[in-house]
Amino acid sequence: MKLSDKLKERYRLVETEDGSITLFSIDFNEACHSTSGAVEETKLHYLRGCEVKEGSRILEIGFGLGIGFEVTREHLQDFCFVSVEIDGELVDWAIKERGLEDQRLQVIVGDARETLKNYQGEKFDCIYQDAFSPRRNPELWTVEWFQMLREYSKPSVRLSTYSASTSIRKSLIEAGWSVQEGAQFGPKRAATIAGLDFKTSQEILDKLERSPAVALTEANIDEYRKIN
Ligand SMILES: C[S@@+](CC[C@H](N)C(=O)[O-])C[C@H]1O[C@@H](n2cnc3c(N)ncnc32)[C@H](O)[C@@H]1O
């Protein structure tokens, strides 16, 4: 697998511990996956965390190099996969170089905060919230963002993410979601699962209440960037 000369200015290919490849983004100063294993992380957080099954309608936040789609396609036959991605060159490369052209896949290119507003398709069963971390990519972890995702969700939706940050859990709750602990992967990463058909446990609510961290909003992301 090779990056084009243009992409090489912004990304590096990195091998992870399960033998799968991820990308390190120079602009975001972060890798797309845990170095403990890109494919294994994806299976745990998204296939399992979102309880995907035949017939699922899946929305992925951040297409990256397409591992979310690739792993889903190995697991399911009948599904619909919509992904949002700001980097069109990366999408073109991933689809061609990694052989991901597929009728079940739709990638919407542009800033997801804008592009998703125009989305007219059916609501989703599963959301893979796989933006870069809240520190590096706070605009995709705000109350406003999670409110928008809620509008595109079925009542039984599962939104899963690798992050267990207090701020993002507060953002989800302020946006009307309930949260529960997700499975941990690798040395550092805990996780969060959110839904609309269960209640957040008192234990999690108490923990969030004790923390001074605040929910992320469009109004405070510049400040959040400065202190993180
Ligand atoms: C962690 S990577 C996604 C990895 C991907 N799910 C995979 O399995 O290969 C996060 C992606 O989010 C994209 N992204 C960051 N900000 C965005 C935005 N505002 N709108 C759409 N995509 C964005 C980045 O370009 C990056 O490709």
Side-chain angles (χ1 to χ4, degrees):
M1 200 190 313
K2 264 171 68 183
L3 287 175
S4 64
D5 287 345
K6 257 181 138 185
L7 286 176
K8 271 189 202 155
E9 291 168 14
R10 289 182 287 122
Y11 298 97
R12 305 261 179 277
L13 286 167
V14 179
E15 187 171 343
T16 68
E17 282 168 28
D18 64 7
S20 59
I21 302 290
T22 189
L23 283 182
F24 180 86
S25 161
I26 295 164
D27 296 339
F28 285 92
N29 195 21
E30 198 167 271
C32 280
H33 299 89
S34 159
T35 52
S36 300
V39 164
E40 290 308 314
E41 179 187 30
T42 301
K43 286 183 182 164
L44 182 74
H45 289 325
Y46 303 118
L47 296 188
R48 213 174 103 186
C50 285
E51 301 168 28
V52 299
K53 49 182 177 298
E54 293 297 338
S56 289
R57 289 185 51 77
I58 299 164
L59 172 65
E60 177 187 54
I61 311 309
F63 186 68
L65 65 160
I67 292 189
F69 175 70
E70 199 174 29
V71 169
T72 303
R73 177 166 82 168
E74 280 164 18
H75 188 72
L76 299 178
Q77 303 252 311
D78 172 27
F79 66 103
C80 161
F81 198 100
V82 178
S83 188
V84 285
E85 172 55 57
I86 200 162
D87 189 342
E89 277 173 16
L90 180 61
V91 173
D92 290 345
W93 170 81
I95 289 181
K96 286 193 196 104
E97 179 78 14
R98 305 193 64 249
L100 300 179
E101 187 130 32
D102 194 302
Q103 285 187 344
R104 295 165 293 190
L105 172 67
Q106 180 191 0
V107 185
I108 304 173
V109 174
D111 184 337
R113 288 174 299 175
E114 292 306 318
T115 58
L116 209 51
K117 280 184 195 157
N118 304 320
Y119 183 72
Q120 306 244 314
E122 270 177 59
K123 293 187 175 190
F124 294 98
D125 301 288
C126 307
I127 301 179
Y128 301 180
Q129 168 69 20
D130 198 21
F132 284 116
S133 68
R135 265 176 85 196
R136 305 286 184 203
N137 207 181
E139 59 276 18
L140 295 186
W141 300 91
T142 62
V143 175
E144 293 87 344
W145 171 251
F146 290 125
Q147 276 166 344
M148 179 154 70
L149 292 187
R150 211 180 129 188
E151 284 170 29
Y152 293 113
S153 296
K154 292 186 186 171
S156 58
V157 67
R158 286 292 174 273
L159 176 154
S160 184
T161 180
Y162 61 84
S163 176
S165 131
T166 301
S167 290
I168 74 101
R169 287 185 173 183
K170 287 188 175 178
S171 300
L172 279 160
I173 288 172
E174 274 193 33
W177 293 82
S178 293
V179 302
Q180 61 190 37
E181 299 289 346
Q184 215 167 332
F185 181 76
K188 282 193 217 131
R189 298 201 171 192
T192 302
I193 293 172
L196 303 170
D197 62 351
F198 63 89
K199 286 216 157 74
T200 308
S201 71
Q202 198 53 46
E203 194 189 341
I204 293 182
L205 290 175
D206 289 346
K207 227 165 143 184
L208 294 178
E209 177 95 42
R210 283 197 296 273
S211 165
V214 295
L216 284 167
T217 63
E218 280 291 331
N220 69 17
I221 53 175
D222 288 339
E223 207 180 315
Y224 183 84
R225 269 202 187 93
K226 271 190 229 147
I227 56 173
N228 281 282

